[in-house]
């Protein structure tokens, strides 16, 4: 009997547990301190009314013999795939409904997609980045090559012809840096991937925060992407589904490698290992794309983006270098006075009672940077910013 010893190569993830430990210890020692948390990547506003109504209706359907649903199609119900197809069409992307696979979230698909790729592939991953990309590849024993994202390239690394890669991860708008690739930059990645016979795994979990129509929300807005890219997206941030769970993956029919359509492999993988997302949840997700749903979720997104603007404006006022905050709920800032990420974390916690996320937790290049999120409450966000201004003025 052998375990998958690749798991032993995983780095222990201390980031959020260390944060929790430090915050708890500080609160215990300072019970009167009112701590504001701007570190979380989870949403805080509830599901919108249109979604809640659709969920209720679907629950009622499940209690009636004529409308009860048992096992559903593993790839998702047609009504939701069609709604997503129309959503993409609204920003100029033509997809076939069957190119869309519904899942219980982008995280699962980002990990599971690796089932259809050989373990000898070289994987190119930006640093810093959402840790799931690295860990899922380490679990499978794949070789990971990092590309440097840093202040010099605006945390948007571009392809290096000298580096050979088979799988390339791109997350735009990015977690943790909030940086967004423009069309020319994504075109460079698409051309590189097509030339190298590589496949881009494009994480569009934060596409809903892109407000400038000149910026791409989907890799499929870029010419040539249909022969080299798979896109992952999620209802988590657009509609507050972090606890309700729904996402989707798009694999174009013409994307093939070694003469095999990747769509066919993923369909086989999903129909064998996955039994679909609950009908009730898919009905709730479909309501996101109705006119009322769109209006209501835009209000919620607007609330978060106003928080982001409050934080970003404060950074400008304080003369702090940052990325994000404009087309992203994340603000990624350079720690003042060249402080290290954890040093700034401790200072902010102890002197301003504000909690953020040290950039060093997202990769080597995150050292010296810090992530704040716009998912908090408006009053708390304003108060946190006021406390930071006061603290930095005293430094
Ligand atoms: N991709 C990125 C970049 C994320 O930051 C997250 C969650 O924070 C996810 C994917 C996960 O999305 P889901 O909730 O759909 O699994």
């Amino acid at each position: 009997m052998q375990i998958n010893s690749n798991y032993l190569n995983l780095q222990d993830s201390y980031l959020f547990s260390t944060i929790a430990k430090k915050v708890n210890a500080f609160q215990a020692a300072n019970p009167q301190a009112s701590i504001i948390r701007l570190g979380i990547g989870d949403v805080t506003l509830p599901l919108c009314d249109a979604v809640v109504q659709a969920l209720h209706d679907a629950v009622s359907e499940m209690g009636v013999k004529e409308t009860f649903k048992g096992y559903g199609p593993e790839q998702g119900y047609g009504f939701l795939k069609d709604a997503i197809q129309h959503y993409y069409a609204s920003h100029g992307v033509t997809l076939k409904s069957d190119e869309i696979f519904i899942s219980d979230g982008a995280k699962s698909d980002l990990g599971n997609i690796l089932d259809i790729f050989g373990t000898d592939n070289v994987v190119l991953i930006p640093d810093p980045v959402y840790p799931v990309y690295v860990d899922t590849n380490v679990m499978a024993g794949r070789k990971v090559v990092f590309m440097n994202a840093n202040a010099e390239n605006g945390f948007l690394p571009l392809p290096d012809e000298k580096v050979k890669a088979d799988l390339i991860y791109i997350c735009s708008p990015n977690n943790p840096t909030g940086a967004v690739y423009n069309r020319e930059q994504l075109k460079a990645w698409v051309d590189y991937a097509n030339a190298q016979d590589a496949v881009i795994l494009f994480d569009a979990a934060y596409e809903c925060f892109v407000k400038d129509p000149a910026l791409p929300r989907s890799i499929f807005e870029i010419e040539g992407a249909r022969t080299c890219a798979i896109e992952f997206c999620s209802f988590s941030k657009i509609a507050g589904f972090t606890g309700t769970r729904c996402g989707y993956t798009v694999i174009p029919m013409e994307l093939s490698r070694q003469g095999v359509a990747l769509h066919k492999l993923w369909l086989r993988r999903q129909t064998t290992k996955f039994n679909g997302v609950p009908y009730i949840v898919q009905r709730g997700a479909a309501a996101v794309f109705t006119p009322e749903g769109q209006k209501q979720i835009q209000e919620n997104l607007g609330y978060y983006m106003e928080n982001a603007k409050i934080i970003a404006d404060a950074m400008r006022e304080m003369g702090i270098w940052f990325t994000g905050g404009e087309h992203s709920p994340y603000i990624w800032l350079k720690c003042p006075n060249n402080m290290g990420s954890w040093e700034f974390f401790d200072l902010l916690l102890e002197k301003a009672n504000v909690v953020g996320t040290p950039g060093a937790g997202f990769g080597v290049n995150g050292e010296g940077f810090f992530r704040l999120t716009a998912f908090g409450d408006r009053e708390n966000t304003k108060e946190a910013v006021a406390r930071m201004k006061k603290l930095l003025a005293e430094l």
Side-chain angles (χ1 to χ4, degrees), residues 113-180:
I113 197 75
L114 295 174
D115 274 12
I116 69 168
F117 296 109
T119 44
D120 287 340
N121 288 313
V122 174
V123 187
L124 189 58
I125 303 183
D127 173 326
V129 87
Y130 180 55
V132 169
Y133 311 154
V134 178
D135 287 355
T136 49
N137 278 290
V138 170
M139 286 171 179
R142 274 191 204 84
K143 183 167 181 261
V144 174
V145 176
F146 289 100
M147 48 178 156
N148 289 323
N150 50 38
E152 285 71 50
N153 57 30
F155 287 93
L156 294 169
L158 288 172
D160 176 351
E161 306 301 330
K162 297 190 288 298
V163 177
K164 169 83 188 99
D166 303 304
L167 287 172
I168 303 160
Y169 284 82
I170 299 179
C171 177
S172 178
N174 190 274
N175 178 13
T177 69
V180 190

Side-chain angles (χ1 to χ4, degrees), residues 34-169:
S34 100
I35 295 176
I36 300 177
R37 290 175 169 79
L38 294 187
I40 45 152
D42 200 355
V43 293
T44 51
L45 294 173
L47 297 175
C48 70
D49 289 346
V51 168
V52 172
Q53 189 55 53
L55 292 170
H56 279 307
D57 292 348
V59 169
S60 301
E61 282 183 64
M62 292 298 271
V64 176
K65 191 167 192 306
E66 287 69 31
T67 49
F68 165 77
K69 301 275 186 298
Y71 289 122
E74 291 91 344
Q75 318 87 289
Y77 283 99
F79 63 81
L80 181 54
K81 296 198 294 179
D82 291 350
I84 294 168
Q85 185 189 28
H86 288 128
Y87 178 64
Y88 271 68
S90 73
H91 44 271
V93 176
T94 306
L95 297 178
K96 295 182 187 75
S97 179
D98 284 346
E99 292 175 329
I100 302 163
F101 294 82
I102 309 300
S103 73
D104 64 349
K107 188 177 184 175
S108 323
D109 279 4
L110 282 159
N112 294 336
I113 197 75
L114 295 174
D115 274 12
I116 69 168
F117 296 109
T119 44
D120 287 340
N121 288 313
V122 174
V123 187
L124 189 58
I125 303 183
D127 173 326
V129 87
Y130 180 55
V132 169
Y133 311 154
V134 178
D135 287 355
T136 49
N137 278 290
V138 170
M139 286 171 179
R142 274 191 204 84
K143 183 167 181 261
V144 174
V145 176
F146 289 100
M147 48 178 156
N148 289 323
N150 50 38
E152 285 71 50
N153 57 30
F155 287 93
L156 294 169
L158 288 172
D160 176 351
E161 306 301 330
K162 297 190 288 298
V163 177
K164 169 83 188 99
D166 303 304
L167 287 172
I168 303 160
Y169 284 82

Side-chain angles (χ1 to χ4, degrees), residues 41 104-108 110 130 133 171 175 203 205-206 233-237 242 245-247 330:
D104 64 349
K107 188 177 184 175
S108 323
L110 282 159
Y130 180 55
Y133 311 154
C171 177
N175 178 13
D203 188 342
Y206 296 92
C233 203
S234 167
F235 288 92
S236 285
K237 310 297 155 106
T242 51
R245 309 304 307 147
C246 198
Y330 297 121

Side-chain angles (χ1 to χ4, degrees), residues 300-370:
N300 288 0
L301 292 174
Y303 180 90
Y304 294 137
M305 289 319 288
E306 181 58 27
N307 286 349
K309 186 173 180 309
I310 290 168
I311 303 172
D313 285 349
M315 294 302 137
R316 278 187 207 100
E317 266 178 57
M318 291 185 278
I320 292 179
W321 188 96
F322 71 98
T323 52
E326 207 182 344
H327 304 288
S328 157
Y330 297 121
I331 290 93
W332 177 255
L333 58 113
K334 173 137 184 48
C335 299
N337 294 0
N338 288 322
M339 269 184 259
S341 296
W342 282 105
E343 195 187 347
F344 185 57
F345 174 91
D346 289 336
L347 180 82
L348 209 54
L349 172 63
E350 285 160 24
K351 300 279 189 271
N353 306 159
V354 172
V355 180
T357 311
F362 297 99
V364 177
N365 290 323
E367 179 53 274
F369 290 86
F370 201 75

Side-chain angles (χ1 to χ4, degrees), residues 96-99 226 251-256 261-264:
K96 295 182 187 75
S97 179
D98 284 346
E99 292 175 329
R226 288 184 60 87
I251 307 188
M253 295 295 180
E254 50 270 60
L255 175 57
S256 61
L262 299 190
H263 184 278
K264 191 174 162 210

